[in-house]
Amino acid sequence: MRPYFTTFYITEIVVGAEGQVTDHLHPEWANLRIISGALPVSEIRGAAPFGGVTGIVTGPTSTAVRFTTGTSRIWGIGLLPLGWAKFVAAPANAYADRLCDSAAEPAFAPLRPLVDTLFGPEPDEAAELERITRHFESLAARPLPEEARIRTVHHVLVDPDVASVADMAERASLPTHTLERVCRRYFGFPPSLLLRRQRFMRSLSQYMLDPSLKWIGAIDSHYHDQAQFVREFHRFMGMSPSAYAALPHPVLAGVMRARMVAAGAPVQALHDPSRD
């Protein structure tokens, strides 16, 4: 099951009776989040606020998702591109930069039984994890005609030395038009945008893990200059680096550190699909 997922992870948020926290999800791969307790309200650029559902599917994203929530338990299932191909019968680009109710979209029908039955009368992390694992094992027989190609493209994408679409196509041994099709269908975006997202997330992750670097010390070597990075920050996060740095990160700062220890990468976009 490992090649299909980034992680199965639980986030427990506890605030006062009337309290709420707000944070920003970074650009990432697709996710199913199943919530018990306060239901979050999420906002993605260009769309109305989204909330009031217990099962949220977020397609692959190229922009931040701002969310506000109260006391809750949230199970997250991070779907790698291969996992999207395996468990969702729809092109990833049809759901890119979208938030969806898992109960309302036919493409997510296989996920509904898990959303409906995950939580018991009392919190039980081990039992919940077992239900998640068994549910996806029951769906895993679906064939993947392009599995080898998806694996190859993803392996090339996460290589920090790959800086252009031409490099990516050569390393994947694919014609550019085939690479474009595979990326849109299974990864959600064209290869040029995927490479830009990787470069940006490498920079943002460096800063989040060690703010003492300042932005200038965290910027990826493939950026031409700081001005280019600032433009990209606006593109992917919808704000300036200084505005983002000034915000509290009550959820994501801890999640990134824990994810680095557990999965070897602080964010989903940088997850190595070949990691044991």
Side-chain angles (χ1 to χ4, degrees), residues 56-111:
I56 302 172
V57 176
T58 308
T61 53
S62 69
T63 188
V65 177
R66 182 180 186 270
F67 67 93
T68 300
T69 191
T71 297
S72 54
R73 299 178 72 242
I74 305 171
W75 271 101
I77 294 100
L79 287 165
L80 291 168
L82 195 65
W84 182 278
K86 179 67 111 173
F87 300 111
V88 181
N93 62 322
Y95 289 93
D97 289 330
R98 286 182 58 190
L99 302 167
C100 302
D101 181 353
S102 62
E105 296 278 344
F108 306 129
L111 307 179

Side-chain angles (χ1 to χ4, degrees), residues 33 121 187 198:
R33 291 183 172 91
F187 295 71
Q198 293 300 109

Side-chain angles (χ1 to χ4, degrees), residues 224-246:
H224 299 304
D225 52 32
Q226 190 170 359
Q228 184 188 17
F229 172 70
V230 170
R231 290 193 297 272
E232 291 288 83
F233 208 105
H234 280 279
R235 162 62 181 82
F236 287 108
M237 295 299 293
M239 66 185 83
S240 69
S242 58
Y244 180 78

Side-chain angles (χ1 to χ4, degrees), residues 77-178:
I77 294 100
L79 287 165
L80 291 168
L82 195 65
W84 182 278
K86 179 67 111 173
F87 300 111
V88 181
N93 62 322
Y95 289 93
D97 289 330
R98 286 182 58 190
L99 302 167
C100 302
D101 181 353
S102 62
E105 296 278 344
F108 306 129
L111 307 179
R112 292 176 200 161
L114 177 61
V115 175
D116 293 340
T117 62
L118 177 58
F119 296 110
E122 297 293 333
D124 188 335
E125 184 176 326
E128 292 155 5
L129 178 59
E130 179 71 10
R131 290 180 195 120
I132 293 170
T133 303
R134 295 289 170 255
H135 182 79
F136 284 104
E137 286 179 342
S138 74
L139 301 175
R142 183 183 178 203
L144 281 179
E146 293 198 276
E147 179 168 353
R149 187 171 281 174
I150 298 168
R151 287 177 182 266
T152 297
V153 170
H154 199 168
H155 178 74
V156 172
L157 177 65
V158 298
D159 185 341
D161 291 331
V162 175
S164 70
V165 175
D167 290 344
M168 194 175 174
E170 181 178 359
R171 288 279 301 277
S173 300
L174 291 174
T176 302
H177 69 273
T178 302

